[in-house]
Amino acid sequence: MLRPLVCAIALFPLAACGGAKDGTSISINTSDGDGPVLAGFDGNGEAAIDTPFFKGKMKLPNVKLDASNFDMNGVHLYPGSTIGSVNITAKNKPDAEEDGHVRVAFTSPAAPAAVRDWFKTKLTAAGFTLTPAGNGLTGKTNEGEPFALDLVPDGSDMAKGVITIG
């Protein structure tokens, strides 16, 4: 019963944010002994909560997250980046087949190689162990969690990226 309440409360601060036409989508997927808990904000102002105890939708102002809203051990996204989506899936049972993970999709105002090199320098200094993998990076966080950064070009001097932790 506590987890659904936490998910619902987590969406309310979003009501104070807004202004962007194309907001950031946010989803949380977790479950416990009572069943699955899903909470989401679609980036266009539609928030939804679906739990065994409560289901509802509400219209909130759009939220647009940027580089300053994301932090990995003191490292934000590449300067000027905007976040398109945040997906959180939690591992809730010791026998779950898949561990929890966080996936963040973003756009950066630089070519993939520049973004990759910037992240490698910053995250290595923060204790991550990383190896270049094409336009991205793979490795472990300072806590030993799997880490991946995938980058692709998005026009000239722009990159679309996805960070996956867990």
Side-chain angles (χ1 to χ4, degrees), residues 57-134:
K57 290 186 178 184
M58 62 193 95
K59 189 75 171 165
L60 299 172
N62 291 342
V63 174
K64 188 64 175 172
L65 302 178
D66 61 28
S68 67
N69 299 116
F70 184 75
D71 183 310
M72 295 176 291
N73 292 9
V75 178
H76 295 283
L77 292 178
Y78 186 89
S81 295
T82 57
I83 298 173
S85 66
V86 178
N87 303 98
I88 302 167
T89 302
K91 176 184 174 182
N92 301 297
K93 298 178 184 174
D95 60 345
E97 290 183 24
E98 183 178 319
D99 285 340
H101 63 270
V102 174
R103 191 167 284 129
V104 178
F106 63 94
T107 303
S108 293
V115 175
R116 179 199 60 218
D117 294 345
W118 184 89
F119 270 114
K120 186 166 189 327
T121 300
K122 298 287 187 180
L123 292 174
T124 299
F128 285 50
T129 305
L130 302 170
T131 303

